[in-house]
Structure formats: C-alpha cells, structure tokens
Amino acid sequence: MLSKIKYSVFLPLIAITLAGCERTERALMEDPGPSASQPADTQPADPQPKASRPAARPPAHVAAQAAPQPAIRSIPAQAAARPAPVKTPFAVRRCINLGNTLEAPNEGEWGNRARAADFTIIASAGFDTVRIPVRWDQHMARRAPYAVNPAYMRRVKTVVAQAQSAGLGVILDVHHYDDLLKYTARETPKYLSLWKQISETFAANRGRLYFELLNEPTLDISNDALSQLYAKVLPIIRERHRTRPIIIGGNQWNYVGRLDEIRWPNDPNLIATFHDYGPHEFTHQGASWMNPPIPRGRTWGSKADTAELSETIGAAISFRRSYSRPVFSGEFGVINTVPGAQRAAWLRARRIAYDRANISWCVWDYAGAFSLYDKENRRWHGAELSAVMGR
Ligand code: GLC
C-alpha cells in the first residue's frame, strides 16, 4: 500500500503533460493485455476499529513517507527473466477485501468476525472473489516445525469454505508478517513451513482459490531477499499446487513502480499484484495508524489527481507488456471518513481505468476502515458500491 505515500512526495515533481495522458489513454485502448482472453479457471457494526490498532502500521511507513520516492517509470523487461507470453488463468474480475477480520492479531479484535452471511451479501452485490488477509504468524508455534495452531487453521479453512459455498473465489494471503520483513533470515524457515502447511491444508481444494505469498513487503526487506524468499517458497507450494495461480508483488508496499525489481521466477502461473491508494493524502486522510497524521479535508479530482491515476495504470500496463504477466490491483480504496460522493468519485475513476486496461482488481474493503458495507445498518454504501460495480 505504498503507492499511497510515494505519490504524495513525488507527484508534484513529475511534469505530467497532456500528451503523456493521451499516450496512456492510447495504451489503454491498444493493450488489452494477456488477461483479455483469459479463460475462467476451474472453477457487524464496528465500522472503525482503527483506534484499537496501534501497531498495525509498520514503522517503516513513517520512514518511507519522509524519503523521496522515485517517479513511476516505464518498466524495461529483464531479458533473462522474460517468459514466453502466457495465458495465465486468473478469473478474478470484481473482488473485495475482507479487511480487519482475520487480518487482526485475533479475529474480532479489530471489530470484524467473518460470518457465512457476509459472503452471501458480497456475492449478491456482484463480486466474484474475496481476498482474505490472514495474520498467520501470531498463530504458529515458536519452534520448528512451527505448527499453525490447529484451531486457527480449521477456522481459516471454514471461512474459505463459507466464501466458496457462496460462489466466490478466494485469495488467501500472508498479512502483517512484520517479523519476516525485519528479521528475514531468522524467520524464513517459519515462513516456508507456513506455506507448506497452507499447501497441505488446501491440497484438495478444487474451488477457485489463489495464494498470495506476502502482503506489502516493505523496504525493511531488500529486493534481493524478497526475490530469494519467493524463489524458496514457490517450489514448496508447487509440490501440491502445480498450476494454481499464485500472486506476488514488489517491494514498498506492493508499489507498482517496483514490480520489475524482483527476480520473477520462471513460472507461468504467477500474477503480479500492486496496491493503489494514490494520492495517499486523500485516501488515508485522518487514518489513525499514519504517523505523522494526515489532515482531513483533502478532496480528489484535480488534473494532477487524474494524471496520477493515468501514470499508475500506464506503469501497470508497461509491466504487463514487458513481462507477459497478468497484473492485479489487489488493494485500492478510500478511508470511510471521507464524504461518500468523494469516495465514489475516486473509486469510479479507478474502476473505469482498470476495466479499460483489463486489470483485475480487489477493492479495500468490505467492512473495515475503508468499508463499502455498513454493518451497523446492514446495507451497502450505495454510491461507493455503484462506483465499483459500474452501475
Ligand atoms: C494494508 C494494510 C491494512 C490497511 C490497508 C489500508 O493492506 O495491511 O491493514 O488497512 O492497507 O491502509
């Protein structure tokens, strides 16, 4: 989620010309991307628990905010790593994140528990997939072989089954594993063991299920260490899931401009994810976990704002073209203290841009701090839902 921060820093520095925007528009039209012909693959009311989330944000966010960020640039292919064009089956089109649920240290601590009814509500609204962030590391033994607490594993399995029973595909990730980012060498065996256990647990799952290796790696971990981690964990998963689409992203909170900095494993079924919260001063205004705090009141819709969106889409398309990988906006959203009409305007512009560029997306989030669903009153925020659904 750092696309957010860096925009604030570097956008004013980028001269974004109208010609540049036109180029991006043309690119949107010309490059439907590999996902264009993708076949479908086989297959309550606490809107704001943020106050009780003191440690949710890694301190590196703060550092990153202060550091000047590189501008989004067009992404050259790493010749050696460039795979032959692939048709990766990735049937995600309209996805929503189950934020603040299994993402909390313990389910319920950030106000949300998953209920079967949530998935019916999500499917009925027109979503085809739900991304379920899971904070596994808090539920694992400290010593090798680092067993995941069986009750916790059963709980995740139940939630996945509930979502699939409602007809939804599921993206299962590893969220908030901060120790892995800070103490990578020490934590690697635990991380590898985690994916082995997840792989075993879901080995027989024939529904639409996607694995996402690591949410929002930050600059605490080097590109090299991150690439090594991906290279080590992939074969472990592939033992049991030979062709299941696996989602991986770049450094700096899955920033689109860093997708090309990792070494892409030679695996035809990888999906490239990026997170898109630009500009951060708009989407994260007043967020309790931001330090220093971002003042409220920023509106969205200036020329620079729409140009920033074009830049983001342009970078995603450029990566896709160079690397022949489907790209996926795995998180985008606006905090729910922003007035509905403004949130809807931002969400609509994003969704239109993604759809035109044939980029799959997953809005953040269902009933957390960026909620599209109002659990208290049991109804969707109408303008925001229409914005992402194109109604
Ligand atoms: C990231 C964080 C999550 C946060 C979201 C929006 O996914 O992991 O906790 O709510 O971004 O900031």
Side-chain angles (χ1 to χ4, degrees):
M1 114 159 152
L2 194 268
S3 29
K4 332 168 176 180
I5 290 160
K6 47 204 121 43
Y7 293 135
S8 58
V9 183
F10 69 73
L11 255 184
L13 305 175
I14 306 174
I16 298 155
T17 61
L18 277 178
C21 300
E22 275 162 24
R23 264 202 310 281
T24 305
E25 281 301 316
R26 267 206 309 279
L28 298 185
M29 308 311 294
E30 284 164 9
D31 179 20
S35 53
S37 52
Q38 281 172 15
D41 60 4
T42 48
Q43 292 298 308
D46 184 352
Q48 197 27 282
K50 292 300 183 187
S52 58
R53 293 179 54 169
R57 299 267 40 115
H61 262 93
V62 180
Q65 253 176 318
Q69 303 297 336
I72 298 175
R73 63 208 183 286
S74 98
I75 293 169
Q78 286 166 3
R82 183 175 179 163
V86 288
K87 294 259 182 291
T88 306
F90 188 56
V92 175
R93 301 311 304 173
R94 295 173 168 188
C95 170
I96 191 163
N97 276 282
L98 200 70
N100 290 21
T101 310
L102 291 163
E103 177 202 352
N106 294 292
E107 187 179 2
E109 283 183 1
W110 290 354
N112 289 342
R113 283 180 190 280
R115 309 159 310 160
D118 292 319
F119 300 111
T120 317
I121 292 167
I122 288 171
S124 310
F127 292 98
D128 53 58
T129 307
V130 61
R131 179 170 177 262
I132 306 182
V134 183
R135 191 155 185 168
W136 299 94
D137 72 306
Q138 309 277 310
H139 302 272
M140 296 176 72
R142 291 196 180 168
R143 299 220 178 100
Y146 311 103
V148 175
N149 177 327
Y152 193 73
M153 187 60 102
R154 274 198 303 279
R155 176 65 185 145
V156 175
K157 213 176 162 186
T158 300
V159 173
V160 169
Q162 287 173 339
Q164 289 184 329
S165 302
L168 296 165
V170 173
I171 298 171
L172 203 54
D173 86 344
V174 169
H175 219 86
H176 294 307
Y177 193 168
D178 296 348
D179 279 354
L180 179 65
L181 305 173
K182 285 191 203 127
Y183 315 109
T184 307
R186 188 192 78 193
E187 293 292 313
T188 296
K190 186 171 165 186
Y191 176 70
L192 299 182
S193 164
L194 170 59
W195 272 112
K196 183 163 187 279
Q197 295 175 69
I198 298 173
S199 295
E200 286 165 0
T201 302
F202 294 97
N205 194 297
R206 299 276 166 263
R208 272 200 309 122
L209 176 66
Y210 309 98
F211 293 150
E212 182 173 331
L213 299 188
L214 185 61
N215 181 65
E216 296 192 345
T218 70
L219 291 176
D220 287 14
I221 187 169
S222 68
N223 288 321
D224 187 50
L226 183 59
S227 302
Q228 284 186 36
L229 211 52
Y230 289 155
K232 281 182 189 157
V233 76
L234 206 54
I236 294 173
I237 299 174
R238 285 288 177 238
E239 273 178 31
R240 292 180 177 77
H241 303 266
R242 289 186 42 218
T243 57
R244 192 180 293 288
I246 291 179
I247 300 167
I248 67 177
N251 220 322
Q252 206 172 334
W253 293 278
N254 289 147
Y255 173 41
V256 70
R258 290 185 171 242
L259 274 172
D260 66 329
E261 292 177 6
I262 54 170
R263 290 188 298 277
W264 280 80
N266 190 7
D267 180 314
N269 292 304
L270 298 181
I271 314 297
T273 188
F274 66 97
H275 290 183
D276 180 12
Y277 289 96
H280 203 238
E281 304 91 332
F282 174 69
T283 62
H284 279 67
Q285 53 187 282
S288 62
W289 62 99
M290 294 309 301
N291 185 6
I294 301 177
R296 288 197 187 175
R298 163 70 148 89
T299 57
W300 183 85
S302 68
K303 259 192 181 169
D305 286 344
T306 49
E308 178 272 334
L309 169 57
S310 295
E311 287 284 309
T312 299
I313 302 289
I317 290 174
S318 163
F319 174 84
R320 180 172 64 196
R321 205 181 269 149
S322 300
Y323 284 75
S324 299
R325 306 271 183 201
V327 281
F328 169 53
S329 174
E331 288 188 19
F332 71 107
V334 184
I335 197 160
N336 52 14
T337 47
V338 170
Q342 273 280 295
R343 296 178 77 208
W346 187 93
L347 288 165
R348 185 175 292 279
R350 243 67 195 172
R351 192 263 311 153
I352 289 173
Y354 297 149
D355 284 356
R356 265 195 213 151
N358 202 21
I359 295 172
S360 305
W361 51 258
C362 198
V363 66
W364 187 276
D365 69 336
Y366 172 58
F370 290 47
S371 60
L372 265 65
Y373 186 72
D374 174 357
K375 269 179 143 180
E376 212 162 326
N377 298 302
R378 299 189 188 180
R379 58 174 180 80
W380 289 93
H381 294 296
E384 289 91 323
L385 183 65
S386 301
V388 296
M389 285 300 161
R391 297 195 276 252

